[in-house]
Amino acid sequence: MSDTSSNQMWGGRFAAGPDAIMEAINASIGYDQRMAAQDIAGSRAHAAMLAAQGIISDNDAQAIREGLLTVLSEIESGDFAFSTALEDIHMNVEARLKEIIGEPAGRLHTGRSRNDQVATDFRLWVRDQLDAAESGLLALIRALLAQAEAGADWVMPGFTHLQTAQPVTWGHHMMAYVEMFGRDLSRVRDARKRMNENPLGAAALAGTGFPLDREMTATDLGFDRPMANSLDAVSARDFAIEFLSVASISAMHLSRFAEELVIWSSAQFRFVTLSDRFSTGSSIMPQKKNPDAAELIRAKIGRIFGANVALMMVMKGLPLAYSKDMQEDKEQVFDAADNWMLALAAMEGMVKDMTANRAELEAAASSGFSTATDLADWLVRETGLPFRDAHHVTGALVALAEKKGCDLPDLSLKEMQAVHGNIDQSIYDVLGVHNSVASRMSYGGTAPTRVREQVARWQENLA
């Protein structure tokens, strides 16, 4: 396409044309060309509606719609020459359309403005990203469910303050992340439903005198309804901020899990082995296997958080309706979306490929006095001690085991009875880690039976 100068698009008022600095600061084509498919979809729907309303002829609408498909084909094949002088994706497409079909191209913009056009394009693009995030989250959840089902009865230490607390199961730990990412999935779906309204037809800010059928374009573009206020339609970017907010919460969950994978795959823990596909070696230390994918997820999350804050800063002081500041709404959203989708895909790959080291998990679960709470509960149930007294007795037994350099099950019955005379042989039934996790039968507990129930519930819901 020809690099037509922007003064030809704007007419006489800008006959001299902007200087190079103004052109550089004003242009957005370097990044908003990513919305080409959405821009063309919106224009095709608008042209069809204009013809249906008798605002333009059927022949012109057909020429416009077919010409736009040609433009889309050129863009998708890499044969389209984008022009900075034409500022943005909208004018680049329209200028090329005029080269292809001539005078009818000038009728496409009837009853609309770049303000409602870009608002429509951006909503469509963000909606597509929410759909992609839904797919990514579903894939990750399914990978976690497979891990949970396989290890529903594998014991491992549960932590608070990164200190051994009580035994849990591998399946239970995986299901904790299923619940987190499940809430992310709910937020994605909720955000999509809320933002699925059509700005097209709001024109510059006040609506238009042309008899537009905004319901028709809403239906054609998959929106639930037209936006009800033209000022709001062109100036709202809360849908993009909500996208970034949802992405930030999900990214935080990804980062927490990534941190655990970094810890778990270390030589000090050896809880999991990550596949070679998601690890790298060291250039100097041949024994190293670095969890680079997890570390990069943990790092990239900051870009998503930053994008969320950046867009709120852009929008926080803008009066209605449109201001050029809002051109700065896209780059950070594009970058955040890229990094969120990449992090979701990488985490799914790691979870699918990783191997939980069952023996290491069980050995760790059996150390660090992880069944101390079970001992205290036993004292309450079997001897009638108040829990605070049982807590004190258990603390004394833990101190004794520490002094001897052993764990609680290694203390003799005589040693335990020296601390509290009513302890009997049945205490050893609760000090094993498998007995401990099996006893946690409350709803939401770590017992293998409960874990399998939750896995089945999720599998049914996803089906």
Side-chain angles (χ1 to χ4, degrees):
M1 68 183 277
S2 63
D3 192 354
T4 310
S5 65
S6 59
N7 59 302
Q8 290 177 307
M9 296 296 294
W10 290 112
R13 175 167 168 76
F14 290 88
D19 61 21
I21 294 174
M22 184 60 192
E23 181 178 289
I25 198 172
N26 200 44
S28 59
I29 189 58
Y31 51 86
D32 71 10
Q33 60 186 262
R34 292 185 64 163
M35 300 192 303
Q38 290 80 15
D39 188 72
I40 288 170
S43 291
R44 280 172 51 82
H46 187 65
M49 180 276 296
L50 291 176
Q53 293 297 101
I55 299 170
I56 66 174
S57 70
D58 290 339
N59 287 340
D60 283 349
Q62 184 177 353
I64 290 169
R65 286 168 56 80
E66 290 178 357
L68 286 168
L69 289 180
T70 300
V71 175
L72 181 61
S73 177
E74 291 176 353
I75 293 172
E76 290 178 341
S77 66
D79 296 331
F80 191 94
F82 291 102
S83 168
T84 303
L86 292 173
E87 295 184 13
D88 56 31
I89 186 61
H90 325 297
M91 285 195 164
N92 269 264
V93 168
E94 188 175 331
R96 178 61 181 140
L97 180 65
K98 185 174 182 180
E99 290 178 349
I100 295 170
I101 68 171
E103 189 244 3
R107 296 192 173 90
L108 171 59
H109 213 52
T110 307
R112 95 178 166 180
S113 161
R114 280 202 300 179
N115 292 355
D116 63 334
Q117 185 179 0
V118 69
T120 303
D121 293 358
F122 199 23
R123 275 185 188 260
L124 290 171
W125 194 90
V126 169
R127 190 179 71 184
D128 288 344
Q129 298 306 301
L130 287 169
D131 290 343
E134 178 175 7
S135 296
L137 285 164
L138 285 169
L140 176 54
I141 287 169
R142 289 189 175 99
L144 288 163
L145 287 172
Q147 286 281 355
E149 189 170 31
D153 57 357
W154 299 0
V155 291
M156 67 176 289
F159 298 96
T160 60
H161 309 280
L162 202 56
Q163 306 293 315
T164 299
Q166 293 177 270
V168 296
T169 58
W170 172 258
H172 195 55
H173 202 113
M174 294 299 100
M175 289 304 295
Y177 282 105
V178 168
E179 293 293 330
M180 287 186 218
F181 293 121
R183 290 192 294 274
D184 293 339
L185 180 64
S186 175
R187 277 183 280 269
V188 163
R189 289 170 171 170
D190 192 43
R192 190 193 194 283
K193 182 178 180 181
R194 186 164 25 257
M195 62 86 69
N196 199 36
E197 296 183 336
N198 184 24
L200 195 57
L205 75 163
T208 177
F210 291 100
L212 305 185
D213 185 348
R214 296 188 63 209
E215 294 282 356
M216 178 179 173
T217 53
T219 299
D220 284 353
L221 295 171
F223 289 114
D224 294 328
R225 64 193 68 84
M227 293 188 73
N229 184 285
S230 59
L231 284 167
D232 180 50
V234 299
S235 64
R237 292 298 183 270
D238 55 350
F239 67 92
I241 294 172
E242 185 168 13
F243 170 80
L244 293 174
S245 300
V246 170
S248 294
I249 295 171
S250 178
M252 176 267 294
H253 290 151
L254 287 165
S255 187
R256 293 185 72 183
F257 196 15
E259 170 71 359
E260 293 208 306
L261 293 180
V262 170
I263 294 170
W264 289 354
S265 62
S266 68
Q268 289 70 33
F269 273 72
R270 293 183 293 181
F271 284 5
V272 300
T273 301
L274 300 177
S275 75
D276 291 346
R277 294 199 309 160
F278 293 97
S279 307
T280 65
S282 165
S283 63
I284 191 172
M285 295 169 284
Q287 84 282 9
K288 294 288 293 300
K289 185 175 181 180
N290 300 323
D292 282 9
E295 291 171 351
L296 286 167
I297 287 173
R298 193 175 56 185
K300 284 180 176 292
I301 295 325
R303 295 168 68 159
I304 299 174
F305 291 175
N308 191 16
V309 174
L311 185 51
M312 286 193 288
M313 291 300 292
V314 167
M315 296 301 299
K316 73 175 182 61
L318 299 186
L320 297 180
Y322 182 84
S323 297
K324 194 66 171 180
D325 310 49
M326 292 165 68
Q327 184 169 292
E328 291 296 304
D329 60 358
K330 296 172 195 68
E331 282 185 281
Q332 48 263 54
V333 175
F334 293 162
D335 184 74
D338 289 345
N339 283 284
W340 187 21
M341 302 312 153
L342 183 59
L344 285 170
M347 185 60 79
E348 182 216 350
M350 280 192 293
V351 171
K352 285 176 70 174
D353 286 4
M354 74 181 178
T355 301
N357 300 324
R358 185 176 183 179
E360 297 288 347
L361 291 168
E362 184 163 340
S366 301
S367 65
F369 312 110
S370 65
T371 56
T373 305
D374 298 275
L375 194 157
D377 289 346
W378 183 92
L379 287 167
V380 171
R381 286 195 311 270
E382 303 299 327
T383 71
L385 275 180
F387 183 80
R388 288 302 174 195
D389 293 342
H391 188 283
H392 178 76
V393 170
T394 301
L397 289 168
V398 167
L400 176 61
E402 280 185 322
K403 184 177 180 180
K404 292 191 64 178
C406 66
D407 212 331
L408 287 171
D410 301 317
L411 292 174
S412 69
L413 182 60
K414 183 177 179 181
E415 288 170 325
M416 290 192 185
Q417 288 175 337
V419 175
H420 192 278
N422 289 340
I423 295 176
D424 60 38
Q425 187 67 34
S426 66
I427 188 67
Y428 293 100
D429 293 337
V430 304
L431 292 182
V433 290
H434 288 281
N435 291 331
S436 174
V437 297
S439 72
R440 307 293 174 184
M441 286 289 290
S442 59
Y443 182 81
T446 192
T449 299
R450 291 289 175 257
V451 172
R452 291 187 178 101
E453 287 173 355
Q454 293 300 323
V455 170
R457 177 178 68 86
W458 268 96
Q459 289 172 337
E460 182 180 353
N461 288 342
L462 294 182

